[in-house]
């Protein structure tokens, strides 16, 4: 961690500590947009989180993947719903390879939200096709797709820009209420072709998004373990805190190793992408698969070690558990990335 990254982490953490709480999380989940717009505005205006991936030539910071990971790790610790991953990371990284100055400037300020709709495996109810400057088809599981002002749509090997108002969009609730997905249906929607080779650009953007998601998973896993350790230090059974029993000590020690290893894997992927390493894709696949499994394990143990309170609606344990499982499937499950890792390694 450089001093600049430490300062960025501290700035994000300071905003969260002042404005966030378990009650705020539940209020955000229940809101029409699914996130706290005021908190997002403060993060964009005071910290500049939405501008990190935007090139400096377009009023952005032009920061690397590690800076994006720092923000994601802090947001992940508190399961904060926001357009950061879908708009400020995936969509902005994809768009940064184009020359859309006005759109990038809007994303940099956080005033606009962009979403990426593509028809990969299990993502398309109806393949997206282009004809005469229009697009038709349906994409599912689009991050923040129903909230986006602008849609970046992949059709074949081409990238198109579609006004969000030109699409029929439907919020599709999932098991994880802290992550917002939508189904985006296009029926002859006017679209503007962007000068880019979409498949290669999307692959690079997805690698960045996976590395950032891995850091978010590591941050959430770390906080889940902290909450569990705090609880086992205060919960008394047989006249002593349950955390003093050797069996539980061993379990939490194992979880600590998982958390630290996950964070190392995530940051290694970010460093590899920032350096432009030839094996960066291998590092990303390793991080995504390992962090997914580590967070899922920690979240499951969080519920077990809390006992009965861990399965109550009022406690945050079930939210960490749900985020762990939804994040493990997002952008490819561990099996997908393990297969990709073997292919890349060979």
């Amino acid at each position: 961690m450089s001093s600049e990254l430490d300062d960025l982490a501290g700035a994000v953490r300071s905003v969260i500590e002042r404005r966030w709480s378990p009650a705020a999380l539940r209020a955000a989940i229940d809101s029409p947009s699914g996130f706290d717009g005021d908190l997002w505005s403060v993060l964009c205006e005071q910290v500049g989180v939405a501008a990190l991936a935007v090139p400096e030539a377009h009023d952005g910071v032009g920061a690397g993947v590690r800076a994006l990971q720092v923000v994601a790790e802090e947001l992940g610790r508190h399961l904060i719903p926001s357009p950061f991953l879908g708009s400020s990371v995936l969509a902005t990284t994809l768009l940064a390879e184009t020359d859309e100055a006005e759109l990038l400037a809007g994303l940099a300020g956080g005033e606009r939200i962009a979403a990426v709709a593509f028809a990969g495996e299990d993502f398309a109810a109806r393949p997206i096709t282009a004809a005469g400057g229009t697009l038709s088809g349906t994409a599912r599981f689009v991050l923040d797709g129903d909230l986006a002002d602008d849609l970046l749509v992949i059709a074949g090997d081409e990238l198109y820009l579609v006004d969000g108002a030109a699409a029929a969009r439907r919020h599709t609730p999932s098991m994880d209420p802290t992550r917002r997905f939508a189904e985006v249906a296009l029926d002859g929607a006017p679209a503007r072709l962007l000068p880019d080779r979409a498949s290669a650009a999307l692959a690079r953007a997805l690698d960045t998004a996976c590395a950032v998601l891995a850091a978010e998973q590591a941050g959430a896993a770390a906080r889940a373990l902290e909450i569990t350790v705090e609880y086992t230090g205060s919960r008394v059974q047989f006249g002593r805190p349950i955390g003093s029993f050797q069996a539980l000590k061993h379990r939490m020690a194992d979880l600590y190793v998982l958390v630290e290893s996950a964070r190392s894997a995530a940051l290694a992927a970010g460093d590899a992408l920032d350096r432009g390493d030839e094996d960066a894709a291998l590092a990303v696949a390793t991080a995504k698969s390992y962090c997914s499994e580590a967070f899922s394990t920690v979240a499951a143990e969080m519920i077990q070690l809390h006992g009965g309170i861990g399965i109550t609606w009022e406690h945050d344990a079930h939210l960490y558990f749900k985020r762990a499982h939804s994040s493990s499937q997002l952008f490819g499950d561990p099996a997908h990335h393990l297969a990709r890792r073997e292919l890349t390694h060979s």
Side-chain angles (χ1 to χ4, degrees):
M1 290 284 284
S2 67
S3 60
E4 291 83 0
L5 293 178
D6 279 332
D7 290 343
L8 176 59
V12 175
R13 194 178 306 122
S14 176
V15 171
I16 292 172
E17 288 174 352
R18 293 197 313 268
R19 305 183 64 94
W20 198 249
S21 66
L25 173 58
R26 283 158 174 77
I29 290 172
D30 292 335
S31 69
S33 64
F35 71 95
D36 186 332
D38 291 337
L39 175 64
W40 177 244
S41 295
V42 171
L43 287 170
C44 292
E45 294 168 5
Q46 296 186 10
V47 185
V49 299
L52 291 174
V54 177
E56 292 182 80
H58 301 300
D59 297 328
V61 177
V65 178
R66 284 288 290 108
L68 297 170
Q69 288 183 315
V70 164
V71 175
E73 191 173 353
E74 294 299 328
L75 296 178
R77 286 177 60 84
H78 302 278
L79 306 181
I80 296 177
S82 77
F84 181 72
L85 182 62
S87 180
S88 303
V89 177
L90 179 59
T92 300
T93 301
L94 183 58
L95 200 62
E97 299 197 26
T98 70
D99 195 31
E100 295 295 315
E102 184 177 351
L103 181 52
L104 282 167
L107 294 178
E111 296 93 357
R112 300 183 71 81
I113 295 174
V116 180
F118 59 98
E121 286 185 32
D122 301 325
F123 281 83
R126 191 160 53 97
I128 299 174
T129 58
T134 65
L135 295 178
S136 296
T138 303
R140 298 182 296 177
F141 312 118
V142 179
L143 272 173
D144 304 313
D146 59 322
L147 305 175
D149 303 287
D150 306 287
L151 295 172
L152 299 175
V153 183
I154 308 293
D157 196 33
E158 295 178 319
L159 175 63
Y160 292 86
L161 177 63
V162 176
D163 188 333
R169 301 176 293 174
R170 179 174 63 89
H171 170 48
T172 53
S174 68
M175 176 184 70
D176 177 13
T178 67
R179 189 87 74 188
R180 194 173 185 92
F181 297 99
E183 181 179 273
V184 176
L186 304 169
D187 188 9
R192 179 162 61 88
L193 178 65
L194 298 180
D196 199 359
R197 187 170 177 270
S199 58
L202 179 61
R204 290 190 292 270
L206 283 173
D207 272 349
T208 296
C210 283
V212 173
L213 177 57
E216 179 195 281
Q217 290 171 307
R223 181 56 186 155
L225 179 57
E226 288 173 8
I227 294 171
T228 304
V229 171
E230 290 170 5
Y231 176 76
T232 57
S234 61
R235 174 73 167 90
V236 175
Q237 189 73 351
F238 304 111
R240 56 192 286 195
I242 62 174
S244 65
F245 294 115
Q246 189 175 40
L248 298 193
K249 285 182 179 180
H250 286 174
R251 287 171 73 173
M252 287 183 284
D254 289 341
L255 295 180
Y256 179 77
V257 172
L258 276 180
V259 167
E260 290 301 303
S261 300
R263 188 167 189 267
S264 294
L267 301 190
D271 282 335
L273 288 171
D274 281 342
R275 290 192 303 263
D277 291 356
E278 291 184 2
D279 61 350
L282 176 62
V284 170
T286 300
K288 180 59 172 66
S289 57
Y290 190 87
C291 291
S292 294
E293 294 183 347
F295 185 19
S296 294
T297 299
V298 172
E301 286 289 276
M302 180 187 196
I303 290 179
Q304 288 290 323
L305 293 173
H306 272 79
I309 195 175
I311 61 172
T312 60
W313 183 260
E314 291 77 15
H315 199 276
D316 286 347
H318 72 97
L319 294 175
Y320 281 91
F321 184 81
K322 292 170 182 176
R323 171 67 77 89
H325 284 275
S326 74
S327 296
S328 73
Q329 302 301 307
L330 187 58
F331 307 138
D333 63 13
H336 166 81
H337 286 282
L338 284 173
R340 180 187 174 204
R341 184 179 183 279
E342 291 301 320
L343 182 63
T344 304
H345 188 65
S346 61

